Amino acid sequence: MSRSLLPIIETSDNFPSDFTSSYPASHPTTGEIYVPFHLSFTDYQANLAPVGLLRPAVVSALRESEYEDDHLCPWSFYLDTHRFNDDDEMDGILETAVRCVFFADWVLAGGSDLMGKVMRETAERWRKDHLFPGPLGGWRDEAYMIYASPRSSFFSSEDSQPFSNAAFPLERSACAVFGFATFGVHMTAYEGQGDDMKIWVPRRSETKATWPSKLDNSVAGGIPAGMKPIESMIKECDEEASLPADLVKKYIKNCGVVTYFYITDDGYLQPEIEYVYDLKLPHRDDPSYVLPHPHDDEVESFSLLTIPEVLAALHSGQFKPNCGLVLVDFLIRHGLVTPEDEPNFIEITWRMRRRLGVAVPSPSV
């Protein structure tokens, strides 16, 4: 390899790596402060991973929301007040900063349904008022599940089952407003092995709202609230690549996750986790073989690319950024990128598995 793959990783994992997980924290370059969002003040006091990270403008929008009765405000704010003396050494002035935002007790008592209702209505109101048009302008009418620390006081018992720390659903476009972690599934479908390997690569439709006409992973999509990763993967395989469920279930292989922290050009935080799958298609003489082809209007076409062709497309920026990251992970796992030919091998591997500093599905804390 003549060029490093690190720039491909940096297009998705572009939030500074020296970001601290102690809160409130700030961007090490811009100085913008991020206030942790928790379900309860008890969770903040226990120093648990926050549900999300709020920019100052978002905190202000929450504080400025108008309600007929203050007792109906769904938000509570932990304030930290400092006193500064003036030149005459008088009492000075007070400066107040929000150190944490959490749900009011009456919202928390209403459980997941009420928390979800409050969050949805807030996002809908802001969208109507044209607040935060960057993320909310891409409204999808599709909800993602938002997670809290499994040690949160909201959860009544120690439940070690996967995904048992689901807190509430939220419209996917609003997740970046609150700095919530989002989750998706990405699969690489391929034929052959080693130097003879070829990967099925789709081109996104030119009408897609995001990254039109870019190359993509064989199959990829977000995980809707209420779905498990494998259920979402099987659904996407049918919708995007016309791959039947029986073939997918027979040949699919879970390969873990990749994690990265993306910050948009306009400063919104998008910590993301992608569940990664491989699908080695059977030999074409096998009766179960199915040729991947578009099933909906999200994919324009599929191409079967050699590894050199995939690498060339990665280096020339033809892939949607996070899909490029997933492909780099695939190439490393299959021994097609090694420490001997990639000068930034170690940094690449840890940048695809970084801690995000916000809550993720249990049993992680």
Side-chain angles (χ1 to χ4, degrees), residues 23-188:
Y23 301 104
S26 62
H27 191 292
T29 302
T30 67
E32 183 172 48
I33 294 174
Y34 305 114
V35 174
F37 174 74
H38 284 275
L39 299 187
S40 69
F41 184 56
T42 302
D43 293 352
Y44 172 74
Q45 290 177 307
N47 198 32
L48 302 183
V51 179
L53 298 171
L54 308 180
R55 304 178 69 188
V58 178
V59 176
S60 296
L62 292 173
R63 298 188 74 184
E64 293 168 3
S65 298
E66 296 182 0
Y67 298 91
E68 294 181 1
D69 187 335
D70 287 342
H71 294 292
L72 295 180
C73 179
W75 319 106
S76 293
F77 305 90
Y78 173 57
L79 305 179
D80 186 14
T81 302
H82 298 276
R83 183 177 297 279
F84 295 86
N85 289 333
D86 60 18
D87 292 339
D88 296 328
E89 297 185 358
M90 301 292 287
D91 288 341
I93 58 174
L94 295 179
E95 180 179 278
T96 301
V98 177
R99 296 305 187 193
C100 176
V101 178
F102 49 98
F103 285 115
D105 289 343
W106 66 269
V107 176
L108 203 61
S112 296
D113 289 344
L114 185 54
M115 287 191 290
K117 180 174 183 290
V118 165
M119 296 298 297
R120 183 182 68 251
E121 291 178 349
T122 299
E124 288 174 343
R125 183 173 66 254
W126 287 350
R127 181 193 180 205
K128 180 180 178 181
D129 293 341
H130 304 290
L131 284 176
F132 315 115
L136 296 182
W139 197 273
R140 301 285 194 91
D141 285 319
E142 179 183 352
Y144 280 172
M145 184 57 69
I146 307 304
Y147 294 87
S149 168
R151 290 162 46 200
S152 168
S153 59
F154 175 70
F155 304 113
S156 59
S157 62
E158 293 282 340
D159 189 347
S160 60
Q161 295 299 312
F163 310 103
S164 60
N165 60 326
F168 54 84
L170 179 65
E171 155 65 32
R172 62 182 292 178
S173 69
C175 292
V177 176
F178 297 95
F180 294 153
T182 57
F183 308 87
V185 288
H186 284 243
M187 186 192 74
T188 304

Side-chain angles (χ1 to χ4, degrees), residues 201-244:
V201 176
R203 185 172 295 279
R204 295 164 68 85
S205 170
E206 63 180 8
T207 61
K208 286 281 287 183
T210 57
W211 308 104
S213 299
K214 286 285 189 179
L215 299 182
D216 212 327
N217 291 129
S218 304
V219 177
I223 303 176
M227 269 196 176
K228 298 299 193 319
I230 188 60
E231 297 170 339
S232 182
M233 188 77 266
I234 292 172
K235 175 181 74 72
E236 294 288 347
C237 282
D238 172 55
E239 292 178 355
E240 292 190 355
S242 305
L243 295 172

